[in-house]
Amino acid sequence: MASVLPVAAHARLEETSIAPGAILPAVPPAISLTFTEAIDPAFSSASLIAPDQTVMSAVTITRDGSNDRVGVFDIVDAASLPAGSYALLWRVVSAVDGHTTTGVLAFSAGTGAAPEIASSSEASGGNWSGTLGRWLELAALMAMAGAALLALVTGDPAGGMRLIVRIGLPVALVGAIITALNLFGSASGAGFGSWPGADRAADVLFDSTPGRALVIRVVMLALVAVIAFALRAENRRAGRVAIAGATLTSLATFSFIGHAAGLRGNFAIATDLAHLFSATVWSGGLLLVALMLMSQQTASNDGIARVVGRFSAIAFSAFLIVGATGLVGAWFNVAGPRNLTGEDYGRVLILKTLLALLILSIAAVNRSMLVPNLRRADADRSSIQTSLRKAALIELGLAVAVLLLAARLTSIPPADAPLTVDVAARSGAIALTGVSNDLEIAVDGELSNRPEGVIRVTITEAATGAPALDLVRVIVDARAPDPLDPDGEPLQDRFEIEPVDGTPGVWELPRTRLGLEAEWSIEVIARRLGVVDEAVSFTLDLRHTAPPPPRLVQEEWRLPRLPWGGYLALVAAAATVAGSLILIRRLKGLEPVTAGIMLTVAAMITIGFLLSAWRSGPIPVAGGGLVSPANLDDPAAIQRAVDTWAMQCASCHGVDGGGTGERKPDGSHAHASVAGDLLGPQSRARTPEELLWIISNGLGGTSMPAFDLALTDEERADLVSYLRWLQSRTTP
C-alpha cells in the first residue's frame, strides 16, 4: 500500500490499495483510494482506460461504510479484461468544501512489466470563476457587516450605512449566482455555467455541504433585503444588529466549507472565524469611514473626530488579530519553506502578506500622526481630513486587492501537499558465468529495467573459449515468486531468445522480458542437434530495478540552527522595527506620505534581515531518531564509496563534490547551487545523521532522489564518509 501521510485540506489522495505503477498478475476487481477529506460519491466519477485513452471498463464509486474518506472503485467485469497497461482515471468531489481532485492511478496486469502510463493526482478547484464569485460575496458581506458593527459602536453621522447595504446586496447576490454556477459545474464535471437539470441542481444545493452553505447565505441576504427595503431599518439600532448578525452568519459559512474545515479541527475553524471577523471589522469599518470623509453632508467635525478616533483604536486591535490568526492559518496551510515558494497558494499568500504590510504602514501613519492631530482643538481639521480621505482611499484600494487574493486562496489547494521525491532505481552490471560439461554460458547486461536494455547470453566452448557454433536453439526458463501469493506456485515464463546477427555465440533478450521486480531463478538451456541439452542456472536479483514511482514526503517547518551571524540578523530586524517607529514619532513636520514610505522601507529591510537569519543556518530535514553512520572515519568505507559516487552522484555533484557548474579562475563554481555544491557551508554544517537521511530519503521539491531502494545501508553510509572526506580536502 502507498504510504500514509498527515491530514491536509482539500480531498487529496492519501493512500491507495495498490501502489502507483504496480505490476499485477490481473486487473483487480476493486481499488480503494483514501483521501484527506470525506468524498461525495454522488458527484464523483471514474473510468478504467488504456494507454491510448480508450475506456476499457466503467467504474462505480461507493464510500466505505466505516470511513467516509475511503472511496471504493469497483471495476466492472475486471476478470474479462486482457493483459496490458491500465489506468484508473478518477475525479472526486470533496464533501467538505466542494473542490474537486483528479488523478490517474496506473498499473499493469499480466505483462510482468511496468505500466506505460504515469500515475498522478491533483487537487483542483482553482478556477477563476470560483474566485470571482467568492470575491464578490466576501467583499459585499464584509462591507455590510463591518459597517453595521462600526455604526453600532460610533454612530453614522454621514448616513453611509444605507448606501453600503444597498450596493452590497446586489453585489453579494451576483457573487452567490456565480458561486452556484461554479458548484454545478464542479459537481457535473462539465465546467462553469453548465446546468445539470433541476433535480441535479437541487441535489447540489441541498445535499452537499458547500451547497447548503450557499443556501444559508442567500437566506441571510434575503433577510438583509427585508430589513433594508421593507422595514427601512438599516439606520436604526435594531436594524444594524440584525444586519450585522445576518451578514456575520453568512461569512461564518466560509470557514465551515473552507480549508480550515478540511483540517477537521475546531481550533482551525475558530482561528479562521477570528481571522475573517476581525478582517470584517477593519475593512467594513474602513469603508464606512471613507464614505463619511467623502460625504458632502455637513457632519460635524467633532462627530468625524469621534468616529475616526474610535475606528482607529478598533482597527488597530482588529489588525493585530488578523496578523496573529493569519500566521496560524499559514502554519496550517503551508507545510514548509519549499511549499511556500513552490506552490501557487504560497506565492499568493506572500503577495497578500506584502499588501497587508503596506496597509499596516499606512494605518500606522494615520494612527500615530493624523488621528492625534484631528483631536486637537487648534488643528487644521480640513487639511487633516483631506489627508485622511486620501489615506482611506488608498487603504480601500489595497483592501480590495487583498480580498481578491483571499478569495483566490480559498479557491486553490493550500500549500500543505506532500512534496514529490524521485526514487533512484538500482543500477549496475549483471555478470554471471556457469559451466555445463563442455559449454560455458555467461549472462551480462544492466540491472536497470529500461525499454532499450538487453540481457546478453554468450555461449562458448569451455575448453577453447571459441563461440559455440552448433547451437540450434537457446531457451530461457525463468521463475519468480508470485507477488500476490509469495508462498504459492511461482510465476513461470519459458521462451526462446534470438541470436545477435554477425556475432556468433551471442544471444539476447529484452531486459523488459524480466520486468517483474523479483528475485528471478533462470535456467539457460543450450540445445544442439543429437546432443543432450546443456543448462546452467542463475539467480538474478532484479528487485528495485524498474524506475520506481515518485514518493510523496511531507515537509515541515523546523527551526534552523543559527550561527552567530543569524542571531545578529535577528537583532538587526528587531532594531529596524523599533528604530523606524521611534524616528517617525520624533520627527516633527513629517509628511504622512513620507512617513508611510519610511515604514514600508523599514518593513522590507526587516523582512530581508529575517530571511538572512533563516538562510544563514541549515534547516534540519528530519526530527529525532536519525541513524548515525557507523563507519564515518573508516578508510575502507571511503575506498568502497569511490565507484558508488562515480556512478550515482558525480553527474549532479561533480567528481569532487563541488557541483557541475562553470568554474571561476579561483576554482570555485560560478553557478553552483546549494543542492549541487556539497562543499559549501550548508552541507558542511549538516550532521552525518542528516546527510544519511537525505541520501536515503531524498529532498522533496528538489532533484535529489531517494536512494534507499537503489543502495544498501552500507553503501549509503559509505557515501557519507566519502562526502566528509571530500569536504576535508577543501577549505570552505
Side-chain angles (χ1 to χ4, degrees), residues 259-631:
H259 298 326
L263 296 169
R264 301 184 186 88
N266 292 332
F267 179 72
I269 294 177
T271 302
D272 195 67
L273 284 171
H275 185 77
L276 190 58
F277 287 169
S278 55
T280 296
V281 170
W282 164 73
S283 59
L286 176 64
L287 178 59
L288 185 64
V289 169
L291 287 177
M292 182 192 66
L293 291 171
M294 292 185 293
S295 174
Q296 298 301 316
Q297 297 181 23
T298 56
S300 68
N301 287 333
D302 291 337
I304 292 175
R306 183 185 72 254
V307 173
V308 171
R310 290 184 181 179
F311 171 72
S312 177
I314 294 171
F316 179 75
S317 301
F319 217 101
L320 289 180
I321 298 174
V322 168
T325 54
L327 286 175
V328 175
W331 184 273
F332 282 139
N333 293 307
V334 182
R338 291 191 186 91
N339 297 79
L340 181 63
T341 56
E343 298 282 340
D344 288 343
Y345 186 97
R347 290 188 286 265
V348 173
L349 181 61
I350 291 173
L351 181 57
K352 178 189 171 188
T353 303
L354 291 176
L355 290 181
L357 289 175
L358 184 56
I359 293 173
L360 182 60
S361 298
I362 298 173
V365 172
N366 292 339
R367 180 168 175 77
S368 61
M369 299 181 64
L370 296 180
V371 174
N373 290 338
L374 188 64
R375 292 170 175 166
R376 289 168 42 205
D378 60 342
D380 182 3
R381 295 190 175 185
S382 176
S383 174
I384 296 173
Q385 288 180 24
T386 300
S387 298
L388 280 173
R389 185 184 305 118
K390 293 178 180 178
L393 289 175
I394 294 174
E395 280 191 68
L396 273 178
L398 293 174
V400 170
V402 168
L403 278 180
L404 177 60
L405 295 175
R408 186 61 179 162
L409 289 177
T410 64
S411 300
I412 59 178
D416 59 354
L419 297 174
T420 300
V421 174
D422 290 328
V423 183
R426 284 180 59 209
S427 61
I430 300 171
L432 303 171
T433 303
V435 176
S436 176
N437 293 325
D438 59 341
L439 293 182
E440 181 178 87
I441 301 177
V443 176
D444 64 85
E446 290 292 328
L447 283 172
S448 299
N449 186 10
R450 294 177 295 182
E452 67 274 13
V454 296
I455 296 177
R456 292 175 177 265
V457 176
T458 304
I459 304 178
T460 59
E461 302 289 346
T464 64
L469 302 178
D470 57 345
L471 301 178
V472 295
R473 297 172 67 189
V474 175
I475 303 168
V476 173
D477 190 334
R479 300 168 185 264
D482 186 342
L484 299 182
D485 186 13
D487 297 326
E489 290 294 323
L491 303 177
Q492 184 175 6
D493 190 9
R494 185 181 176 91
F495 52 91
E496 291 187 38
I497 58 177
E498 299 295 326
V500 178
D501 293 338
T503 310
V506 179
W507 308 65
E508 67 181 20
L509 67 147
R511 169 65 181 84
T512 54
R513 187 65 187 254
L514 303 177
L516 181 64
E517 294 185 77
E519 191 170 6
W520 286 88
S521 298
I522 68 170
E523 185 178 37
V524 180
I525 303 168
R527 179 162 296 173
R528 295 178 288 188
L529 289 175
V531 181
V532 176
D533 292 346
E534 302 291 351
V536 176
S537 297
F538 302 96
T539 299
L540 296 180
D541 185 0
L542 302 182
R543 291 172 294 183
H544 312 307
T545 55
R551 179 187 303 163
L552 297 178
V553 296
Q554 190 73 34
E555 195 183 25
E556 297 179 14
W557 289 102
R558 300 181 184 278
L559 294 176
R561 296 188 306 274
L562 298 181
W564 64 268
Y567 288 107
L568 286 179
L570 289 179
V571 172
T576 301
V577 173
S580 60
L581 293 176
I582 293 173
L583 183 64
I584 289 174
R585 296 282 294 189
R586 289 182 176 273
L587 287 176
K588 302 297 183 182
L590 190 64
E591 289 292 330
V593 174
T594 305
I597 293 173
M598 290 177 61
L599 279 177
T600 302
V601 172
M604 295 176 65
I605 295 174
T606 302
I607 293 173
F609 279 129
L610 292 175
L611 290 176
S612 297
W614 182 266
R615 293 173 177 171
S616 64
I619 300 174
V621 296
L626 295 178
V627 178
S628 177
N631 52 359

Side-chain angles (χ1 to χ4, degrees), residues 213-255:
L214 179 61
V215 170
I216 291 174
R217 293 200 295 274
V218 172
V219 170
M220 292 297 104
L221 287 177
L223 176 60
V224 174
V226 170
I227 295 171
F229 292 98
L231 303 179
R232 299 185 179 275
E234 68 269 28
N235 280 340
R236 295 197 290 269
R237 184 171 184 82
R240 292 170 182 173
V241 171
I243 290 174
T247 48
L248 287 176
T249 300
S250 298
L251 287 169
T253 62
F254 290 111
S255 294

Side-chain angles (χ1 to χ4, degrees), residues 23 135 272 293 497 666 714:
I23 301 173
W135 177 47
D272 195 67
L293 291 171
I497 58 177
D666 61 1
E714 183 183 50

